[in-house]
């Protein structure tokens, strides 16, 4: 009898005692949640390289000035100017190389002592696995320094919870027209 109790009845008692509280439990106080409801896999580090094209000239400019400092105020280094961008991102420095996505957002001249931009942009990818996923960059860009670093502060789609940084260096910059090609090396942690 003792043996039967331990082998058959005890497991049943345990099973019932574990399931019964859920019916009468105080669900306003405590609710059990799944440990990994979003099915996140382990975090990985990815490196992306692409080229960012600021096209100020021609019939379809990808950058337009939207804020001009007041004409009767003299601001050093065009401080206060803001430009909106929808810049192509390509695989190679050449403008006609494969289009990978676009950089959409704006940048403004936020430094009085030099050209130091505040950049706020979403990189929206349009190819392969990452089609439709975005990365958001918000950072400071002193454009005449050789390498500038800006934080990646988040993302969407396959880049949910992303964080990282972009190191950027200018490939070409035409000071007369404003046309520029900039190499982006982006390291991001994401799932
Ligand atoms: C500068 O121009 C703005 C807009 O035209 C005007 O409202 C403002 O009074 C001017 N300021 C000065 C100091 O002239
Ligand atoms: C990317 O996604 C858009 C919208 O879903 C779709 O129209 C387009 O064909 C896709 N492009 C590629 C290269 O998969």
């Amino acid at each position: 009898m003792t043996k039967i109790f331990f082998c058959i009845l005890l497991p049943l008692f345990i099973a019932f005692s574990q399931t019964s509280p859920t019916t009468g439990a105080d669900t306003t106080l405590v609710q059990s949640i799944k440990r990994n409801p979003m099915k996140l896999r382990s975090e990985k580090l990815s490196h992306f390289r692409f080229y960012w094209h600021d096209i100020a000239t021609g019939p379809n400019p990808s950058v337009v000035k939207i804020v001009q400092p007041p004409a009767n105020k003299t601001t050093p280094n065009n401080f206060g100017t803001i430009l909106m961008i929808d810049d192509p991102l390509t695989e190679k420095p050449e403008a006609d190389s494969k289009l990978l996505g676009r950089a959409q957002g704006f940048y403004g001249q936020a430094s009085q002592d030099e050209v130091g931009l505040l950049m706020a942009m979403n990189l929206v990818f349009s190819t392969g696995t990452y089609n439709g996923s975005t990365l958001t960059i918000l950072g400071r860009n002193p454009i005449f320094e050789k390498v500038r670093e800006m934080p990646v502060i988040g993302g969407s789609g396959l880049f949910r919870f992303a964080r990282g940084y972009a190191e950027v260096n200018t490939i070409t910059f035409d000071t007369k027209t404003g046309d520029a090609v900039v190499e982006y090396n982006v390291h991001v942690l994401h799932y």
Side-chain angles (χ1 to χ4, degrees):
M1 183 59 204
T2 320
K3 204 172 178 188
I4 290 171
F5 177 78
F6 280 110
C7 293
I8 299 166
L9 296 177
L10 186 60
L12 282 177
F13 279 128
I14 291 168
F16 277 110
S17 65
Q18 282 177 345
T19 52
S20 58
T22 56
T23 52
D26 184 355
T27 51
T28 59
L29 177 65
V30 57
Q31 292 175 354
S32 71
I33 55 166
K34 291 196 178 101
R35 275 182 176 227
N36 191 359
M38 304 185 77
K39 299 189 175 65
L40 295 176
R41 282 162 294 185
S42 61
E43 206 170 30
K44 55 179 178 271
L45 178 65
S46 299
H47 172 211
F48 298 87
R49 176 186 289 132
F50 48 80
Y51 296 84
W52 176 103
H53 299 259
D54 227 5
I55 306 162
T57 51
N60 298 307
S62 68
V63 53
V64 291
K65 191 181 284 181
I66 56 168
V67 174
Q68 174 80 46
N72 59 5
K73 292 226 163 50
T74 48
T75 61
N77 292 307
N78 293 316
F79 173 69
T81 306
I82 300 177
L83 299 96
M84 188 70 78
I85 60 167
D86 184 2
D87 283 353
L89 305 174
T90 61
E91 195 175 61
K92 302 235 169 68
E94 295 75 36
D96 59 358
S97 64
K98 189 183 176 196
L99 183 72
L100 302 177
R102 307 193 75 86
Q104 300 176 333
F106 55 86
Y107 58 80
Q109 216 319 45
S111 172
Q112 302 196 66
D113 299 330
E114 59 181 334
V115 182
L117 307 179
L118 161 70
M119 301 195 71
M121 59 184 173
N122 297 312
L123 309 178
V124 51
F125 295 95
S126 55
T127 50
T129 324
Y130 295 104
N131 186 12
S133 295
T134 68
L135 285 174
T136 299
I137 288 182
L138 180 70
R140 177 170 187 271
N141 185 2
I143 62 166
F144 292 116
E145 285 180 18
K146 196 169 184 313
V147 180
R148 294 86 70 184
E149 182 178 329
M150 293 181 279
V152 172
I153 59 164
S156 72
L158 288 175
F159 295 120
R160 283 178 182 177
F161 301 115
R163 61 200 199 285
Y165 62 93
E167 283 180 308
V168 313
N169 58 285
T170 304
I171 305 292
T172 59
F173 177 47
D174 185 327
T175 49
K176 281 210 189 80
T177 62
D179 285 357
V181 179
V182 180
E183 178 179 333
Y184 272 64
N185 280 282
V186 183
H187 285 86
V188 276
L189 283 169
H190 62 107
Y191 290 95

